[in-house]
Amino acid sequence: MTDALPPSPDSKGSPFAFQRGVKDYPAILDRVEGCTGGLIGYVGEWHTHPDGAARLSDVDMAAVNQIRSNLDPVGLPTHIMVCAREGIASFVFAGEHEQGARGRVSSREWDVPQGS
Ligand SMILES: [Zn+2]
């Protein structure tokens, strides 16, 4: 992974929920992919659970299912990363399979942004 982009301007976030927007993102991602000859492109989404666990909530699973409805038919995996105070969890969904990985990080090594 080379970078993490901020939420699009039409996203709505609070410490309790996040609604993903899409404004400007198709053009940004097309430009990155074009400038890198297709080597770098969209790989997935991330958000924080500032006061929660590093696992998928019911809202997260609804987002997974929505994203998978677009990516599964073209054979691409869905990746969601959740950052919480006690660690990071990374989930990859592809076809019939889900793979998850969790890591522990200290606050010294990883500063979790608030409210995104
Ligand atoms: Zn979540």
Side-chain angles (χ1 to χ4, degrees):
M1 199 157 27
T2 60
D3 202 357
L5 300 174
S8 68
D10 59 335
S11 296
K12 295 182 173 103
S14 76
F16 310 105
F18 179 77
Q19 183 176 4
R20 175 172 34 96
V22 296
K23 184 178 184 324
D24 302 333
Y25 268 62
I28 292 169
L29 295 173
D30 285 348
R31 190 171 64 239
V32 168
E33 195 167 328
C35 289
T36 62
L39 291 175
I40 296 176
Y42 173 87
V43 294
E45 306 222 350
W46 70 276
H47 63 273
T48 62
H49 287 180
D51 297 318
R55 61 181 167 75
L56 296 175
S57 68
D58 291 343
V59 173
D60 295 333
M61 280 310 301
V64 165
N65 291 331
Q66 190 273 325
I67 294 167
R68 290 189 72 182
S69 71
N70 293 315
L71 297 184
D72 279 6
V74 294
L76 293 174
T78 297
H79 176 223
I80 293 199
M81 181 177 284
V82 179
C83 305
R85 291 199 184 281
E86 75 273 12
I88 298 171
S90 184
F91 302 89
V92 177
F93 299 84
E96 301 287 316
H97 306 288
E98 172 193 345
Q99 295 182 333
R102 294 174 198 274
R104 291 190 63 82
V105 293
S106 74
S107 58
R108 185 170 54 89
E109 295 169 319
W110 181 269
D111 186 20
V112 178
Q114 295 293 308
S116 57

